């Protein structure tokens, strides 16, 4: 069998966690392949709400195997917090959550470096989640990182050498810190992490595929935050795109099956960086209020705007998306007019190709469609969709040339509609 990949097509927070949970019954193994606790994946069902950061979103449905893959960066302190939260609500994961030995560790000093780099950038700061993601991936690429498997061998020595190196870098910044207090939590986290099985996940995943079982790879962040193809430098430090699933799990590109591209019926972004369709008016405020657009990790208000089909089409191309999933359409339920950006005007010229730099001089060109003005949150089937809503989907499918197979009309697991009509 093949690995199906579910990934965000915008700037993150598209609703990946919810849909991974919905799709989990069809799979045997669910794995995160990149990112770390910068992710906040929200799931709601049976009146409960969970926000997952490093743990895959396949843990709630029927004893599936869940794997934290080699491409992930893991902070033991936050991992412990997350696991203890789940244990407190009755979810014991020891038997069904495995961690790749090759996943890199986020050290306490990575978090400090993240903060120091951000404050040194001043107004040009990225607006990171402050979780040490960039510095941890930097150490991985510069061949200085510590991996989960290192915990089993001469760990103290390796840890001390890494921290000494980080302290030396920190000494060049005007930045005060108290390492001891965060180190204590971190080492307690290491002990918690040791209660889980460390595995060679590339073998487990390929063996599972060879035995005819199905794997779902759960993306974090979104394509516009990808280190290569996102709105650089306002991006995260990993490959969030489909290709990242190959390197982040150790599977051949030939083994990739469906690519589920997930997007909101509008668009949001959290942190700094360009956002051509951002609304600085009441409509944007209304989207934020109705969509409850506040970061699930940091609580920061998310910037809101209309859907950007130029960026989405680019994301569809980069990822080879085979099925689209549209989220949060209910947020637009009462908008009389729905706008969709179909081109950019760059220096007076219209283009539908995503440009090298969208920082300045990009003006969105909009198509306007009538809103559906109907509460869709209780709908159970596509037969109930209002005509204007079907027209919006048709419009998106025509532009993106990929079918919309799932529509989400509310945060709950049950508010999910599969489309069967071609
Ligand atoms: P992720 O990071 O991609 O998993 O997404 P987040 O969990 O960060 O953000 C999505 C937010 O939207 C969460 O608060 C979800 O509970 C919520 N959500 C997901 N789907 C829908 C939907 O269809 N409608 C509404 N109103 N909220 C949704
Ligand atoms: P999920 O998986 C939305 C953003 C940050 C910042 C930039 C770099 O929940 O969709 P980082 O801490 O990664 O170095 O920050 O990326 N960012 C996210 N935005 N959703 C996320 O994850 C994000 N993870 C990082 O706000 O702009
Ligand atoms: Mg999120």
């Amino acid at each position: 069998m093949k690995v199906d990949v579910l990934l965000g097509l915008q700037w993150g927070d598209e609703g990946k966690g919810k849909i991974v949970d919905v799709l989990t019954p069809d799979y045997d193994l669910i794995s995160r392949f990149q990112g770390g606790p910068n992710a906040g994946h929200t799931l709601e069902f049976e009146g409960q709400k969970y926000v997952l950061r490093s743990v895959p979103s396949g843990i709630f449905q029927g004893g599936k195997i869940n794997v934290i893959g080699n491409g992930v960066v893991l902070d033991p302190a936050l991992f412990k917090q997350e696991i203890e939260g789940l244990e407190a609500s009755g979810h014991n994961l020891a038997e069904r959550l495995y961690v790749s030995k090759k996943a890199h560790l986020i050290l306490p000093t990575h978090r400090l470096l993240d903060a120091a780099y951000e404050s040194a950038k001043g107004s040009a700061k990225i607006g990171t989640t402050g979780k040490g993601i960039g510095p941890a991936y930097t150490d991985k690429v510069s061949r200085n990182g510590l991996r989960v498997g290192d915990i089993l061998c001469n760990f103290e020595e390796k840890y001390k050498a890494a921290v000494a190196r980080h302290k030396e870098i920190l000494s060049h910044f005007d930045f005060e810190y108290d390492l001891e207090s965060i180190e204590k939590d971190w080492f307690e986290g290491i002990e918690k992490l040791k209660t889980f099985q460390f595995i060679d996940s590339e073998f487990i995943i390929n063996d599972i595929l060879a035995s005819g079982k199905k794997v779902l790879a759960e993306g974090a962040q979104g394509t516009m935050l990808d280190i290569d193809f996102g709105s650089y430098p306002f991006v995260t430090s990993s490959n969030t795109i489909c290709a990242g699933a190959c390197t982040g799990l150790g599977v051949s590109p030939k083994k990739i099956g469906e690519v589920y591209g997930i997007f909101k019926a509008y668009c949001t972004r959290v942190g700094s960086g360009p956002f051509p369709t951002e609304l600085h008016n009441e409509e944007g405020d209304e989207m934020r209020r109705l969509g409850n657009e506040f970061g699930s990790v940091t609580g920061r208000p998310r910037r809101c705007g209309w859907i950007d089909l130029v960026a989405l089409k680019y994301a569809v191309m980069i990822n080879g998306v085979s099925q689209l999933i549209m989220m949060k359409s209910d947020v637009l339920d009462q908008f009389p007019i729905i706008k969709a950006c179909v081109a950019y005007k760059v220096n007076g010229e219209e283009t539908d190709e995503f440009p090298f730099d969208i920082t300045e001089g990009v003006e969105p060109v909009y198509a306007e469609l009538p809103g559906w003005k109907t509460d869709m949150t209780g709908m159970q089937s596509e037969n109930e969709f209002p005509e204007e809503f079907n027209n919006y989907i048709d419009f998106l499918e025509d532009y993106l040339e990929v079918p919309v197979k799932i529509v989400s009309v509310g945060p709950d697991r049950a508010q999910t509609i599969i489309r069967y009509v071609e």
Side-chain angles (χ1 to χ4, degrees):
M1 294 298 278
K2 298 205 165 183
V3 178
D4 294 343
V5 184
L6 183 142
L7 43 80
L9 298 181
Q10 295 164 320
W11 276 285
D13 301 328
E14 296 89 350
K16 298 174 288 294
K18 169 180 164 166
I19 297 298
V20 168
D21 171 64
V22 166
L23 296 178
T24 289
D26 290 343
Y27 292 90
D28 301 288
L29 184 150
I30 296 88
S31 187
R32 280 277 305 271
F33 59 89
Q34 46 72 230
N38 47 350
H41 294 182
T42 315
L43 290 80
E44 288 190 38
F45 55 90
E46 293 159 14
Q48 301 284 324
K49 178 172 169 172
Y50 300 92
V51 180
L52 300 175
R53 292 166 154 197
S54 302
V55 172
S57 302
I59 54 167
F60 296 110
Q61 301 244 43
K64 309 291 177 151
I65 302 172
N66 282 262
V67 172
I68 296 178
N70 60 278
V72 171
V73 286
L74 190 63
D75 182 330
L78 294 178
F79 177 76
K80 175 172 179 274
Q81 230 179 55
E82 186 173 343
I83 294 295
E84 286 177 351
L86 289 164
E87 284 169 352
S89 49
H91 300 280
N92 195 316
L93 304 183
E95 298 303 315
R96 54 201 161 98
L97 176 64
Y98 304 102
V99 185
S100 166
K101 285 180 198 161
K102 293 193 172 77
H104 276 246
L105 292 168
I106 302 176
L107 272 53
T109 36
H110 285 140
R111 249 186 280 164
L112 298 174
L113 285 165
D114 196 355
Y117 292 148
E118 280 285 86
S119 86
K121 276 182 183 261
S123 62
K125 72 175 185 201
I126 309 290
T128 72
T129 58
K131 299 293 181 284
I133 304 295
Y137 276 118
T138 302
D139 270 357
K140 171 177 176 174
V141 173
S142 66
R143 296 157 293 183
N144 286 306
L146 289 189
R147 299 182 291 175
V148 167
D150 288 321
I151 294 173
L152 306 173
C153 178
N154 289 340
F155 186 56
E156 289 265 318
E157 205 178 296
K158 293 174 194 163
Y159 174 82
K160 279 188 185 145
V163 168
R165 207 168 37 77
H166 293 158
K167 278 184 169 168
E168 204 282 320
I169 302 171
L170 283 164
S171 71
H172 299 279
F173 288 85
D174 182 17
F175 183 77
E176 285 187 17
Y177 59 89
D178 172 13
L179 181 56
E180 256 175 47
S181 63
I182 49 174
E183 256 181 345
K184 184 175 168 291
D185 274 357
W186 195 82
F187 277 103
E188 285 172 11
I190 291 285
E191 291 310 308
K192 186 75 183 174
L193 189 54
K194 279 158 77 177
T195 65
F196 288 82
Q197 257 192 67
F198 301 167
I199 59 166
D200 296 301
S201 53
E202 61 276 32
F203 285 106
I204 308 272
I205 291 173
N206 280 289
D207 285 351
I208 282 240
L209 293 174
S211 70
K213 292 186 172 162
K214 289 180 77 183
V215 173
L216 179 62
E218 173 180 3
Q221 291 78 56
T223 302
M224 301 319 292
L225 289 169
D226 179 81
I227 184 73
D228 281 281
F229 297 102
S231 48
Y232 194 87
F234 299 98
V235 293
T236 191
S237 298
S238 66
N239 278 120
T240 61
I241 57 169
C242 184
C246 295
T247 56
L249 296 179
V251 293
S252 156
K254 290 184 193 156
K255 296 244 172 80
I256 300 296
E258 294 296 329
V259 181
Y260 301 110
I262 184 164
F263 66 99
K264 287 180 192 175
Y266 49 102
C267 193
T268 65
R269 163 160 216 175
V270 61
S272 333
F275 179 3
T277 61
E278 181 171 12
L279 291 168
H280 299 279
N281 59 14
E282 276 173 21
E283 273 175 333
D285 293 344
E286 193 70 347
M287 284 177 190
R288 186 174 311 103
R289 190 178 65 77
L290 294 169
N292 192 23
E293 295 294 359
F294 296 90
S296 34
V297 173
T298 57
R300 290 181 291 178
R302 296 178 185 143
R303 300 153 64 193
C304 297
W306 294 114
I307 200 164
D308 182 342
L309 295 180
V310 177
L312 262 185
K313 186 141 192 167
Y314 183 67
V316 164
M317 174 184 83
I318 296 290
N319 293 299
V321 171
S322 58
Q323 300 190 28
L324 288 165
I325 302 175
M326 182 161 84
M327 308 299 289
K328 303 192 89 158
S329 50
D330 54 295
V331 173
L332 302 184
D333 275 355
Q334 299 309 332
F335 280 68
I337 301 283
I338 310 291
K339 291 190 191 177
C341 167
V342 291
Y344 291 162
K345 219 177 225 176
V346 185
N347 302 324
E349 296 230 344
E350 261 187 43
T351 177
D352 57 6
E353 252 183 38
F354 193 74
F356 170 72
D357 189 358
I358 57 165
T359 322
E360 270 174 26
V362 173
E363 201 190 310
V365 178
Y366 289 109
E368 292 192 6
L369 291 95
W372 44 94
K373 304 270 281 168
T374 309
D375 178 355
M376 289 183 60
T377 55
M379 290 188 182
Q380 293 293 312
S381 128
E382 61 183 324
N383 299 329
E384 297 171 69
F385 288 171
E387 191 187 338
E388 294 84 353
F389 184 74
N390 280 327
N391 290 342
Y392 186 50
I393 295 188
D394 287 349
F395 183 81
L396 300 180
E397 288 182 332
D398 279 352
Y399 191 101
L400 299 171
E401 298 178 288
V402 183
V404 175
K405 291 287 193 178
I406 300 179
V407 169
S408 174
V409 295
D412 196 90
R413 186 192 271 170
Q415 291 172 299
T416 314
I417 299 171
I418 312 287
R419 289 182 77 227
Y420 297 98
V421 173
E422 285 298 317

